[in-house]
């Protein structure tokens, strides 16, 4: 009654390709790795969730600081990254499809394309981070470009219009509100107070209107006047959250690229087929997860400013 | 000192008006715990003995669960726990709803001491004197890390948090000396950050309050406040580029204000500048002076006025527009027990004749 | 038949190949994929951390013999209690039952060859070692003094100790926890033997399933909290610093969002062990099996909703406090249900008082007190007086030591014959269980009183009138210490010359008892097919009880003859 005669454990019958010894059959293995990967992704969501919580708390406290901080992020690059990642998710999904069909060449091509797009993403991130370094918006003293007195390449941090291509660069080239600033210690710099001064004026004109939050009324002011240093501190919080969230995401992207390298190599060796393609599908899950996190990050970080300028709260 | 003669103290003294509620809740919970424990412990003992194995590896009869029992012993604990919740909520509400007529005391924690200041200006370090039977509300913050102002005899405590104010209140019911602890770990000398709360009869408290004289003359007291305690000197004694208006030699002079009006710098002007600086800003200066309303007592205001007058050579001897009659005697009449509770009214009463103090161009 | 072999007296047999004899090289251990070997390596590691944490505890109790801070200066004392907490919580309590007993037994109990992801299991062990190594290194460099709760702003701005390094160690260690939980969930879903339906699973497995849910969902939050703490400390972000716009209470929310569910990670496996001990040593199916199973899940879920009960006096709003207090009362109910069910299981059982059962009964009493005093602390008005006093210290030691550690010891004693094939001295086992129980109560019960009269936590020096109770507490601690060290000795001795235990020394129906002691590497010679319900003790289940009784009689008469 307690014994089962038919099945023996391992070493005897022919293995399906890739079957681990602890599993009875492929189906059990596939089910297991699938649940395992989903559980891993759930915990990754909780991991990023803590950061989203921090974002939520501070955006509710200091919306104007977040607005101007976000406004200075170039939505062009952010949008390009979003597009790049979505396309890479497409190539990844196609990889899984071709793995199931056992088509080695297409798998390898698509994996390489996915990696290419991932690399483009990281490249764009590098461009953005360099831009932050140039403009003095890295929130750590010393990690910004040091600009000494009298050097010609200094320019202010100022909002970039949400437009793509020649118009954006023309605006910059035309000068706008250029004024030189020095940053001898590579500190966090902020020079754009237009929006907040406008909002402060609005609030003063109508003290009962809901223009600034209570925390903002305490946090931006000293002795009843707008204190630029205090406002800058709050913008710095935005940049911290930006760097930590996108940095952690970029780290996950790097891991993803490593995963793709391994996967590409295995695919090249024709490891995957209709019988055994779970590693591709699982890698696909991871890649899609990294994509989805970005889909949330992009509007929260990049598009926030335009929301406030358009009159939202 | 617990003021208890027991060898092993079990309860601290009940020294506040809601302490009995906390003890009652505690007693209730102990009773519930005993009532729940007895059946379980008795059952375990009884079953353990009655049903101990007679024969090795015997197989007792199967017993299926009982929906009735499960329901009963789910519902009863739930109901009981709800009564505990309600009791706790009510007591908490009482502990953290200060009555409107509370006497304010301000507390600042810092590593590793408590700085306490009464409304009337008296400051204390690690000690709090309060009158019995009065409602006392503490408004508290910290200069550095989290601390917690804990008085077990009053059965209340609350953390102090940097960057904001936290509040607690109590009404002491028994004169005595009660321990004060810091109850949120704050670093090296956390265990040393304690002190005492002295609950005194009202008369003794008034004596204590007024007894805090430093023995200085009013001008000396004012100078001490100006240079040290209130930090006036940081803006008003820095010389030509100082941020605050010049105070030397201004007494009884005509002062030009921002907006064009002029005003005479008499006693009321000085007093108003301390309590309501934004209302009359000297021309050429920014309106950045903070108000000291609520932070200075009447005596302190008097001392400051006298001191600032002393900075003008002609006024040194003049007592024409005399400072309030208590110049030589900074001790208020001891019968006036309400004096300290409403500096706002006192301040307003003293500024007679001013039109809207907030209007920048108020004319005398 | 496999089960016949399982209860065949193995005393006279040649020892067969088992997981311990399957390879003697270091490499075969360090690179093993065998869940049982990984469990044994965890056993050695957690025991080592437990001993270290225990030394710190001894230092604390010795210092607290006198009111003044004379044995240790304040700064050192602060480090001692911090490190006691960190080692005990992160490196002993959280991993112990899951990583030792769970790893060893879950595949056996469900009839599988191994866990679903053996290499992940090994990775989890490595990560545990790396995290533990980092923390130990930090301790040797000078340690931390922030309290195991690391509250901002002290830990972010004011403490001059190795906060980042210890934080890194805990961060890394968290992934060990996550991977173990992940592995268990997958295994319990997909690796059950044919016929092992969800409601035939031992309650030990249900408990670990619930625990694993908490591990996966909760641990990442402490990881991100530590990351933010480190960034604040290193780069001054300001999210916890009010001077630049941050909020120290945010740290408390983030911290306790994990650390409250963490206590359920600690106690749920313990409750699983107790379910096993009580039903097996009463030879009766647990009363209300489904209720115990579902109450574990309920505790795991509700446990995520009550973190604010650590923050009633932190300055959080009264309304938040009301919600958390209410939910705290709700989460107490499933635990009460379990207590009643366990007690009811004893009714009309056939109870034998072997050492593991003594630990289980001790658990019932101590967890009862610990759980009830949790209600004291969940009642808002009362907790204001009791927060940050020794009452809290007593409460959590009752549930963590009186609950979890006692369950762990009970489990180790119960499955020792299965894991090692040897029996320990029952006499010394019973003595040590009693010493632990008595010593524990003597140590921690006075602390409830100390808490009510107002002695705050984390105090190196205290008012004189509190000394007497502190002396009682330290006296009890010495008894407790003896009781906790004794198992090292007699269990160790059993490895050397203990009596061979036999495959099923107590004739129990669980799948783990239907295989050799110690089990072979592949767990079962023939994979079982389960056709019986959980906890069926009768002979019709393949347990040859008559043969066992005969064997006992023979052994007894042999003993008398010699």
């Amino acid at each position: 009654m307690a014994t089962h005669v038919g099945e023996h454990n391992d070493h005897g019958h022919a293995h399906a390709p890739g079957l681990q010894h602890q599993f009875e059959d492929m189906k059990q293995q596939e089910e297991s790795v699938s649940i395992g990967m989903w559980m891993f992704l759930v915990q990754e969501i909780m991991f990023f969730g803590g950061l989203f919580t921090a974002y939520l708390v501070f955006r509710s406290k200091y919306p104007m600081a977040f607005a101007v901080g976000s406004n200075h992020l170039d939505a062009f690059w952010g949008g390009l990254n979003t597009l790049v990642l979505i396309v890479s998710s497409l190539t990844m999904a196609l990889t899984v499809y071709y793995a199931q069909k056992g088509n080695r060449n297409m798998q390898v091509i698509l994996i390489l394309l996915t990696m290419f797009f991932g690399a483009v993403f990281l490249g764009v991130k590098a461009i953005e981070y360099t831009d932050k370094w140039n403009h003095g918006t890295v929130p750590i003293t010393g990690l910004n470009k040091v600009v000494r007195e009298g050097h010609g390449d200094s320019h202010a941090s100022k909002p970039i219009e949400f437009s793509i291509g020649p118009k954006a660069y023309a605006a910059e080239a035309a000068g706008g509100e250029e004024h030189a600033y020095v940053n001898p210690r590579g500190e966090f710099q902020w020079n754009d107070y237009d929006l907040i001064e406008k909002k402060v004026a609005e609030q003063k004109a109508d003290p009962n209107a809901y223009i600034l939050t209570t925390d903002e009324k305490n946090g931006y002011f000293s002795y009843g006047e707008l204190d630029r240093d205090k406002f800058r501190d709050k913008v710095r919080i935005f940049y911290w959250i930006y760097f930590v969230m996108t940095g952690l995401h970029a780290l996950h992207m790097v891991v993803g690229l490593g995963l793709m390298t391994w996967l590409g190599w295995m695919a090249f060796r024709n490891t995957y087929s209709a019988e055994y393609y779970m590693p591709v599908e699982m890698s696909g899950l991871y890649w899609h997860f990294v994509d989805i996190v970005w889909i949330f990050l992009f509007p929260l970080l990049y598009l926030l400013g335009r929301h406030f300028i358009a009159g939202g709260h | 000192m617990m003021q208890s003669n027991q060898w092993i103290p079990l309860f601290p003294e009940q020294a506040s008006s809601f302490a009995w509620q906390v003890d009652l809740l505690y007693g209730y919970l102990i009773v519930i715990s005993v009532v729940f424990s007895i059946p379980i412990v008795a059952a375990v003992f009884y079953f353990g003995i009655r049903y101990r194995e007679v024969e090795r590896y015997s197989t007792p009869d199967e017993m299926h669960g009982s929906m009735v029992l499960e329901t009963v012993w789910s519902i009863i604990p739930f109901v009981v726990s709800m009564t505990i919740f309600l009791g706790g909520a009510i007591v908490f509400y009482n502990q953290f709803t200060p009555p409107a007529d509370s006497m304010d005391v301000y507390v600042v924690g810092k590593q590793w001491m408590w700085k306490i200041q009464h409304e009337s200006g008296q400051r204390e370090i690690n000690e709090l004197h309060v009158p019995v039977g009065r409602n006392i509300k503490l408004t508290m913050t910290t200069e550095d890390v989290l601390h917690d102002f804990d008085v077990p005899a009053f059965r209340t405590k609350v953390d102090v948090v940097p960057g904001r104010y936290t509040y607690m209140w109590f009404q002491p019911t028994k004169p005595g000396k009660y321990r004060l602890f810091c109850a949120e770990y704050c670093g090296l000398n956390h265990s040393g950050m304690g002190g005492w709360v002295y609950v005194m009869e009202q008369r003794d408290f008034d004596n204590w309050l007024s007894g805090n004289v430093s023995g200085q003359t009013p001008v000396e007291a004012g100078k001490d406040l100006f240079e040290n305690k209130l930090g006036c000197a940081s803006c008003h004694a820095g010389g030509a580029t100082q941020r605050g208006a010049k105070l030397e030699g201004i007494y009884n002079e005509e002062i030009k204000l921002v907006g064009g009006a002029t005003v005479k710098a008499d006693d009321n002007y000085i007093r108003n500048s301390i309590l309501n600086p934004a209302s009359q800003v000297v021309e050429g200066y920014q309106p950045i002076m903070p108000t000291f309303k609520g932070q200075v007592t009447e005596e302190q205001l008097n001392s400051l006025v006298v001191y600032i007058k002393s900075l003008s050579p002609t006024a040194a001897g003049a007592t024409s527009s005399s400072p309030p009659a208590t110049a030589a005697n900074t001790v208020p009449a001891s019968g006036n027990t309400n004096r300290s509770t409403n500096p706002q009214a006192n301040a307003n009463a003293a500024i007679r004749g001013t039109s809207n103090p907030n209007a920048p161009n108020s004319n005398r | 038949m496999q089960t016949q072999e399982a209860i065949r007296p193995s005393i006279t047999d040649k020892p067969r190949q088992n997981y311990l004899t399957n390879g003697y090289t270091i490499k075969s251990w360090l690179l093993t994929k065998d869940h049982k070997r990984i469990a044994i390596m965890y056993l050695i590691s957690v025991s080592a951390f437990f001993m270290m944490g225990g030394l710190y505890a001894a230092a604390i109790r010795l210092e607290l013999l006198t009111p003044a801070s004379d044995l240790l200066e304040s700064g050192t004392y602060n480090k001692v209690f911090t490190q006691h907490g960190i080692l005990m919580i992160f490196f002993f309590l959280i991993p112990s039952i899951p990583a030792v007993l769970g790893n060893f037994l879950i595949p056996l109990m469900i009839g599988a060859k191994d866990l679903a992801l053996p290499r992940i299991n090994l990775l989890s062990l490595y990560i545990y070692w790396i995290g533990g190594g980092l923390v130990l290194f930090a301790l040797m460099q000078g340690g931390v003094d922030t309290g195991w709760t690391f509250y901002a702003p002290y830990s972010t701005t004011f403490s001059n100790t190795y906060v980042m390094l210890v934080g890194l160690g805990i961060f890394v260690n968290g992934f060990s926890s996550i991977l173990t939980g992940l592995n268990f969930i997958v295994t319990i879903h997909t690796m059950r033997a044919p016929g092992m339906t969800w409601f035939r699973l031992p309650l030990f497995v249900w408990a670990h399933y619930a625990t694993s849910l908490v591990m996966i969902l909760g641990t990442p939050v402490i990881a991100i909290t530590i990351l933010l703490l480190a960034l604040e400390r290193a780069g001054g972000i300001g999210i916890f610093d009010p001077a630049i716009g941050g909020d120290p209470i945010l740290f408390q929310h983030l911290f306790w969002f994990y650390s409250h569910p963490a206590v359920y990670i600690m106690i749920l496996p313990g409750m699983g062990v107790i379910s096993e001990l009580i039903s097996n040593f009463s030879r009766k199916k647990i009363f209300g099996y489904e209720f115990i199973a579902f109450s574990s899940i309920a505790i795991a879920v509700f446990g995520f909703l009550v973190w604010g009960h650590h923050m009633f006096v932190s300055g959080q709003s009264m309304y938040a406090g009301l919600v958390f207090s209410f939910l705290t009362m709700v989460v107490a109910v499933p635990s009460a249900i379990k207590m009643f069910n366990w007690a009811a299981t004893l009714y009309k059982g056939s109870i034998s008082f072997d050492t593991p059962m003594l630990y289980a009964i001790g658990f019932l009493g101590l967890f009862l007190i610990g759980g009830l005093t949790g209600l004291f602390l969940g009642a808002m008005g009362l907790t204001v007086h009791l927060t940050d006093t020794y009452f809290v210290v007593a409460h959590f030691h009752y549930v963590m030591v009186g609950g979890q550690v006692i369950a762990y010891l009970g489990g180790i004693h119960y499955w020792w014959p299965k894991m090692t094939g040897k029996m320990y001295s029952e006499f010394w086992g019973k003595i040590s269980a009693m010493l632990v129980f008595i010593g524990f109560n003597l140590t921690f019960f006075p602390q409830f009183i100390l808490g009510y009269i107002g002695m705050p936590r984390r105090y190196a020096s205290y008012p004189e009138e509190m000394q007497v109770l502190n002396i009682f507490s330290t006296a009890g601690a010495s008894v407790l210490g003896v009781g906790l060290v004794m198992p090292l000795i007699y269990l160790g001795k059993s490895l050397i010359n203990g009596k061979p235990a036999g495959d099923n020394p107590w004739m129990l129906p669980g799948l783990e008892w239907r295989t050799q002691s110690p089990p072979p590497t592949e767990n079962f010679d023939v994979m079982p097919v389960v056709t019986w319900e959980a906890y069926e003790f009768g002979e019709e289940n393949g347990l040859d009880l008559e043969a066992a009784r005969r064997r006992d009689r023979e052994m007894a008469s042999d003993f008398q003859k010699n």
Side-chain angles (χ1 to χ4, degrees), chain A residues 62-82:
Chain A
Y62 307 118
M64 287 302 128
F66 270 52
V68 302
S70 159
N71 209 30
H72 183 69
L73 296 178
D74 193 352
F76 166 71
W77 292 122
L80 180 66
N81 263 351
T82 310

Side-chain angles (χ1 to χ4, degrees), chain C residues 35 91 107 117 171 194-195 201-203 213 219 252 283 289 369 398 409 415 421 445 456 484-485 497 500 536:
Chain C
H35 64 103
F91 295 95
L117 306 166
F171 180 91
L201 284 171
L203 288 166
L213 287 173
T219 317
Q252 294 185 36
R283 302 191 71 76
Y289 172 100
I369 298 179
Y398 262 84
L409 289 173
W415 282 295
F445 200 85
L484 289 173
V485 168
N497 56 9
E536 289 185 342

Side-chain angles (χ1 to χ4, degrees), chain C residues 212-498:
Chain C
S212 304
L213 287 173
V214 182
M215 279 173 158
I216 291 184
L217 293 174
T219 317
V221 181
I222 192 75
I224 212 73
T225 309
I226 294 177
L227 180 68
L228 289 172
L229 173 74
L231 287 171
E232 173 101 359
R233 206 173 150 82
I237 321 177
I239 60 170
F240 303 131
D241 182 355
I244 29 185
D247 185 356
I249 309 293
L250 178 64
F251 180 86
Q252 294 185 36
H253 281 292
L254 285 172
F255 178 83
W256 287 113
F257 189 83
Y258 164 71
S259 302
H260 186 78
V263 316
Y264 295 116
I265 295 179
M266 298 180 225
I267 197 63
L268 281 171
M271 291 171 161
V273 172
I274 296 303
S275 295
E276 293 298 312
L277 294 181
I278 294 207
S279 71
N280 280 301
F281 285 97
S282 325
R283 302 191 71 76
K284 216 169 134 275
K285 180 167 182 172
I286 205 95
F287 192 93
Y289 172 100
E290 296 83 359
F291 281 87
I292 296 206
F294 286 131
S295 66
S296 298
I297 307 284
I299 291 175
V301 170
F302 277 96
F304 274 100
L305 303 178
V306 297
W307 77 90
H309 69 217
H310 299 270
M311 295 168 59
F312 283 128
V313 296
S314 67
Q316 86 181 351
S317 83
M318 192 185 304
Y319 305 102
L322 286 169
V323 171
F324 285 121
S325 174
F326 174 78
L327 288 168
T328 304
M329 296 300 152
V330 169
V331 84
V333 173
S335 299
I337 293 177
K338 285 188 202 260
M339 288 293 300
F340 292 123
N341 277 303
W342 287 323
T345 305
L346 298 172
Y347 179 64
K348 290 198 172 165
S350 167
I351 305 171
S352 68
F353 290 99
D354 299 78
T355 303
M357 188 56 162
L358 289 184
Y359 279 112
I361 295 187
F363 176 98
L364 288 181
L366 298 177
F367 183 72
L368 181 65
I369 298 179
L372 287 168
T373 50
L375 288 179
F376 285 60
L377 292 168
M380 292 165 80
L382 186 55
T383 202
V384 167
H385 178 58
L386 297 174
T387 291
D388 265 297
T389 64
Y390 262 79
F391 195 94
V392 179
V393 175
H395 159 72
F396 66 66
H397 281 94
Y398 262 84
V399 281
M400 294 208 283
V401 181
Q404 207 272 9
V405 175
I406 285 201
Y408 173 71
L409 289 173
I412 292 284
H413 284 76
Y414 175 49
W415 282 295
W416 188 260
K418 177 56 57 184
M419 295 197 291
T420 62
K422 306 287 180 113
M423 236 358 226
Y424 47 85
S425 159
E426 185 61 28
F427 173 74
W428 286 111
K430 289 194 166 106
I431 297 277
S432 144
M434 289 190 279
L435 281 179
V436 166
F437 184 82
I438 295 172
F440 175 83
N441 276 308
L442 198 51
T443 309
F444 289 103
F445 200 85
Q447 293 184 5
F448 284 124
I449 305 175
L450 270 174
Y452 203 80
I453 63 178
M455 178 168 172
R457 287 172 79 163
R458 299 172 165 167
Y459 261 40
S461 59
Y462 55 81
E464 277 173 17
E465 60 268 22
M466 299 172 178
Q467 183 174 19
V468 175
L469 287 166
N470 271 296
I471 293 180
F472 280 146
S473 185
T474 304
S478 39
V479 175
L480 177 63
V482 170
L484 289 173
V485 168
M486 280 172 61
L488 276 181
I489 302 174
Y490 64 76
L491 288 177
K493 191 160 174 301
S494 79
L495 291 175
I496 302 171
N497 56 9

Side-chain angles (χ1 to χ4, degrees), chain B residues 148-186:
Chain B
D148 188 299
F149 195 89
D150 172 21
V151 187
F154 295 160
R155 310 285 192 281
T156 181
K157 63 163 69 79
V158 85
D159 279 6
V160 291
V161 182
R164 44 182 280 212
Y165 291 111
T166 51
Y167 306 92
M168 73 188 230
W169 84 278
F170 51 82
Q171 186 196 103
T173 50
K174 217 156 87 170
K177 189 172 131 172
Y178 307 104
R179 284 205 186 263
L180 160 67
F181 295 113
C182 169
E184 185 63 61
Y185 177 67
C186 52

Side-chain angles (χ1 to χ4, degrees), chain A residues 6-295:
Chain A
E7 282 207 43
H8 291 276
N9 45 0
D10 69 78
H11 343 289
H13 61 281
H15 279 233
L19 180 66
Q20 301 278 329
H21 82 283
Q22 69 270 20
F23 295 113
E24 296 294 314
D25 56 28
M26 213 48 205
K27 182 160 166 295
Q28 191 184 38
Q29 175 166 318
E30 288 177 1
E31 216 187 313
S32 301
V33 300
S34 181
I35 298 181
M37 179 49 92
W38 278 106
M39 286 292 115
F40 176 72
L41 294 180
V42 163
Q43 73 88 28
E44 285 284 321
I45 292 174
M46 295 303 289
F47 192 58
F48 276 95
L51 289 177
F52 279 98
T53 306
Y55 173 92
L56 193 100
V57 167
F58 288 103
R59 184 239 201 242
S60 316
K61 280 169 75 126
Y62 307 118
M64 287 302 128
F66 270 52
V68 302
S70 159
N71 209 30
H72 183 69
L73 296 178
D74 193 352
F76 166 71
W77 292 122
L80 180 66
N81 263 351
T82 310
L83 194 63
V84 161
L85 273 190
I86 292 179
V87 173
S88 78
S89 270
L90 173 64
T91 54
M92 189 68 228
L94 286 172
T95 309
V96 179
Y97 173 72
Y98 282 112
Q100 287 174 327
K101 309 264 282 205
N103 185 336
R104 185 195 89 156
N105 291 337
M106 281 308 290
Q107 276 178 69
V108 174
I109 291 172
L110 286 164
I111 289 179
L112 286 174
L113 270 179
T114 310
M115 289 176 69
F116 167 71
F117 287 122
V120 167
F121 178 90
L122 290 177
V124 168
K125 276 248 91 50
I127 293 176
E128 283 188 280
Y129 284 6
T130 312
D131 184 63
K132 303 286 169 302
W133 176 77
N134 271 322
H135 284 149
T137 49
V138 177
I140 303 180
T141 301
L143 289 188
N144 288 295
K145 184 166 161 187
V146 170
V147 178
R148 302 236 151 71
E149 189 88 51
H151 284 228
D153 58 349
S154 54
H155 57 279
S157 61
K158 63 167 178 36
I160 299 173
E161 299 297 322
F162 178 40
S163 55
I164 305 174
K167 252 171 68 183
Y169 297 101
E172 264 210 50
E177 289 232 356
E178 293 283 357
H179 51 273
Y181 76 100
V182 290
N183 194 356
R185 289 188 297 153
E187 289 174 314
F188 180 79
Q189 292 273 348
W190 190 257
N191 299 307
D192 174 19
Y193 300 99
D194 296 340
L195 178 67
I196 186 62
E197 278 174 358
K198 194 169 81 146
K199 293 285 175 184
V200 167
E202 276 177 37
Q203 180 78 81
K204 283 201 163 150
D206 184 3
N208 289 327
Y210 178 61
I211 312 273
L212 297 175
T213 67
T214 318
D215 284 296
E216 288 182 305
K217 286 181 188 156
N218 292 327
Y220 298 160
F221 292 83
S222 286
Y223 303 129
E225 293 301 320
L226 176 68
D227 183 336
R228 287 187 164 194
D229 288 343
K230 286 173 98 169
F231 182 71
R232 189 189 63 230
D233 281 336
K234 313 301 182 282
V235 179
R236 193 164 158 268
I237 293 181
F238 172 81
Y239 275 98
W240 258 114
I241 290 186
Y242 166 79
F243 272 100
V244 174
M245 291 181 97
T246 57
L248 202 60
H249 178 261
L251 190 68
H252 281 76
M253 182 55 89
V254 170
V255 168
L257 283 182
L259 196 60
M260 288 298 125
T261 311
W262 169 81
L263 197 71
W265 172 244
M266 297 293 275
F268 181 71
R269 291 174 53 204
N270 220 353
T271 321
Y272 304 118
S273 61
E275 286 91 44
Y276 179 58
Y277 61 89
M278 274 314 258
V280 189
E281 184 160 332
M282 295 299 107
S283 305
L285 269 182
Y286 178 79
W287 194 267
H288 293 313
F289 170 76
V290 174
D291 182 19
I292 284 231
V293 171
W294 179 260
I295 305 284

Side-chain angles (χ1 to χ4, degrees), chain B residues 1-2 7-12 19 22-26 29-30 32-34 36-38 40-41 43-45 47-49 51-67 69-71 73-75 77-78 81-82 84-85 87-89 91-93 95-97 111-112 143-146 148 150-164 166 179-194, chain C residues 74-75 78-79 81-82 145-147 151-154 158 242 247-249 252 282-285 287-288 291 312-316 318 321-323 325-326 329-330 333 336-337 339-341 343-344 346-354 361 364-365 368 372 375-376 379-389 391 448-449 452-461 463-466 468-469 472 505-507 536-539 545-546 548-549 551-552:
Chain B
M1 200 184 326
M2 290 294 139
W7 184 52
I8 302 178
L10 284 177
F11 282 77
V22 177
D23 286 353
L24 182 66
L25 190 56
Y26 186 54
L29 272 158
I30 292 182
I32 290 184
S33 305
V34 169
F36 270 90
S37 305
I38 288 184
I40 294 182
V41 173
V44 170
F45 267 99
F47 295 159
I49 296 172
Y51 299 109
R52 66 190 181 285
E53 72 173 357
V54 173
E55 189 196 12
R56 196 83 185 154
Y57 316 128
S58 68
T59 306
D61 293 329
E62 260 192 39
M63 168 164 301
H64 300 287
S66 156
M67 210 43 204
L69 266 180
E70 299 283 355
T71 313
W73 67 43
S74 302
I75 304 264
F78 179 72
S81 67
M82 286 299 111
I84 299 173
F85 162 68
V91 176
F92 187 88
Y93 180 79
Q95 283 167 318
F96 286 95
T97 311
Q111 286 175 323
W112 287 278
E143 285 181 20
D144 40 39
V145 296
L146 300 172
D148 188 299
D150 172 21
V151 187
F154 295 160
R155 310 285 192 281
T156 181
K157 63 163 69 79
V158 85
D159 279 6
V160 291
V161 182
R164 44 182 280 212
T166 51
R179 284 205 186 263
L180 160 67
F181 295 113
C182 169
E184 185 63 61
Y185 177 67
C186 52
L188 188 66
N189 211 12
H190 171 57
S191 12
M193 195 169 149
Chain C
S74 303
N78 293 340
K79 290 187 183 175
F81 72 69
T82 301
D145 70 348
T146 57
Y151 275 9
Y154 184 72
F158 289 82
D247 185 356
I249 309 293
Q252 294 185 36
S282 325
R283 302 191 71 76
K284 216 169 134 275
K285 180 167 182 172
F287 192 93
F291 281 87
F312 283 128
V313 296
S314 67
Q316 86 181 351
M318 192 185 304
L322 286 169
V323 171
S325 174
F326 174 78
M329 296 300 152
V330 169
V333 173
I337 293 177
M339 288 293 300
F340 292 123
N341 277 303
L346 298 172
Y347 179 64
K348 290 198 172 165
S350 167
I351 305 171
S352 68
F353 290 99
D354 299 78
I361 295 187
L364 288 181
L368 181 65
L372 287 168
L375 288 179
F376 285 60
M380 292 165 80
L382 186 55
T383 202
V384 167
H385 178 58
L386 297 174
T387 291
D388 265 297
T389 64
F391 195 94
F448 284 124
I449 305 175
Y452 203 80
I453 63 178
M455 178 168 172
R457 287 172 79 163
R458 299 172 165 167
Y459 261 40
S461 59
E464 277 173 17
E465 60 268 22
M466 299 172 178
V468 175
L469 287 166
F472 280 146
W506 292 293
M507 300 308 293
E536 289 185 342
F537 290 86
E539 274 165 328
L545 301 175
E546 266 314 308
R549 289 190 195 111
R551 181 191 70 201
D552 279 358

Side-chain angles (χ1 to χ4, degrees), chain C residues 32-171:
Chain C
T32 185
K33 293 207 286 266
D34 183 359
H35 64 103
K36 300 182 289 299
R37 286 195 164 195
I38 293 176
I40 298 294
M41 289 190 278
Y42 262 116
L43 173 63
I44 299 171
S45 315
V46 303
S47 304
F49 278 107
F50 183 67
M51 291 299 144
M52 285 187 269
L55 286 175
Y56 280 120
I60 292 174
R61 284 309 333 156
L62 283 172
E63 162 55 46
L64 291 177
L65 269 176
T66 56
S69 174
D70 41 15
L71 180 66
L72 302 169
E73 7 170 78
S74 303
T76 312
Y77 182 80
N78 293 340
K79 290 187 183 175
V80 167
F81 72 69
T82 301
Q83 289 156 192
H84 168 72
I86 291 174
L87 288 178
M88 286 303 204
I89 291 180
F90 292 108
F91 295 95
F92 175 70
L93 286 167
I94 286 177
S96 59
I97 297 181
V100 177
L101 297 172
N103 263 332
F104 197 100
L105 294 159
I106 289 181
L108 286 167
M109 286 180 166
I110 64 176
K113 273 182 238 168
D114 202 321
L115 287 174
L117 306 166
R119 282 175 293 194
I120 298 279
N121 201 10
L122 185 63
L123 180 64
S124 147
L125 177 67
Y126 289 163
I127 293 177
Y128 176 79
W129 280 340
I130 292 174
L134 283 167
V135 168
L136 287 178
F137 178 67
L139 297 194
M140 287 191 289
Q141 294 294 312
V144 266
D145 70 348
T146 57
W148 84 273
T149 49
F150 293 104
Y151 275 9
Y154 184 72
S155 62
T156 52
T157 326
F158 289 82
S159 173
N160 287 325
T161 57
Y162 289 84
V163 177
M164 306 265 272
L165 199 48
V166 170
L168 182 63
I170 297 175
F171 180 91

